[in-house]
Amino acid sequence: KQRTKYIPKKLLDKVKQAESRKLPVEDILVLLVGTDKCSRKKSDTSIISPEPKVIDSEDKCSRKTIPTSKKRRQKGYGSGWIQCKPIKRSGKEYQQYWYNYEEWREGDRTSKKSRYIPKRLLARVEKLEAEKAPVREVLVVLGVKE
């Protein structure tokens, strides 16, 4: 199967260099993902050694994600994701977290909405999202009434 992977600008030069050196696709993916998911013996890792993550002004909304084995919700439980929107108020920059969700019935989207995630609930919502719990369970935590 053919798949695509977004290449961040800061890694574009390294990917081009790895491609010009004819490195295997797995090594280039390790460069993009940052962890060695496949059990290969280490070859030339001068390019593909992961760099420590430095939070700069562009990346203030990055948070540690909770590792999970599930990648998708079960069919019929909707779709949802957490989005960070940096805002500026009175000269200071803050991060606001929003839960965007869609509900589907018989292949048609019935609703697409967003809910603000208060700081006190952010950890619980992230945990539910990592477990790929149904969207309705996440909305109950956020206090959405039906």
Side-chain angles (χ1 to χ4, degrees), residues 11-139:
L11 294 177
L12 188 58
D13 292 332
K14 289 184 179 183
V15 171
K16 284 182 180 178
Q17 185 181 7
E19 207 171 83
S20 68
R21 291 175 58 192
K22 304 290 186 202
L23 288 178
V25 175
E26 290 92 7
D27 290 346
I28 296 173
L29 287 175
V30 167
L31 172 69
L32 292 174
V33 176
T35 58
D36 191 7
K37 290 189 176 182
C38 54
S39 59
R40 293 174 41 98
K41 64 179 184 176
K42 300 272 183 178
S43 58
D44 183 15
T45 59
S46 61
I47 298 176
I48 57 176
S49 59
E51 297 177 1
K53 181 155 178 126
V54 177
I55 297 178
D56 57 359
S57 60
E58 295 176 12
D59 199 18
K60 285 187 178 180
C61 286
S62 66
R63 290 180 53 92
K64 292 181 181 178
T65 57
I66 301 167
T68 180
S69 61
K70 290 177 110 180
K71 293 184 181 190
R72 295 176 53 126
R73 282 183 178 77
Q74 288 183 343
K75 196 167 188 169
Y77 287 116
S79 61
W81 61 96
I82 297 172
Q83 179 183 17
C84 177
K85 295 180 183 177
I87 61 164
K88 285 188 178 181
R89 290 221 172 118
S90 48
K92 295 182 182 178
E93 192 168 311
Y94 301 95
Q95 293 84 37
Q96 277 190 346
Y97 291 91
W98 293 80
Y99 187 69
N100 300 313
Y101 62 97
E102 298 175 346
E103 293 178 330
W104 297 78
R105 301 246 191 277
E106 299 175 9
D108 295 326
R109 183 174 65 200
T110 58
S111 66
K112 180 177 181 178
K113 298 179 182 177
S114 295
R115 289 292 295 187
Y116 173 72
I117 305 173
K119 279 188 175 182
R120 71 181 195 284
L121 298 176
L122 183 59
R124 287 176 59 192
V125 171
E126 283 181 332
K127 183 178 180 227
L128 286 171
E129 186 63 23
E131 294 171 355
K132 297 300 180 190
V135 170
R136 292 191 184 272
E137 286 184 26
V138 178
L139 294 178

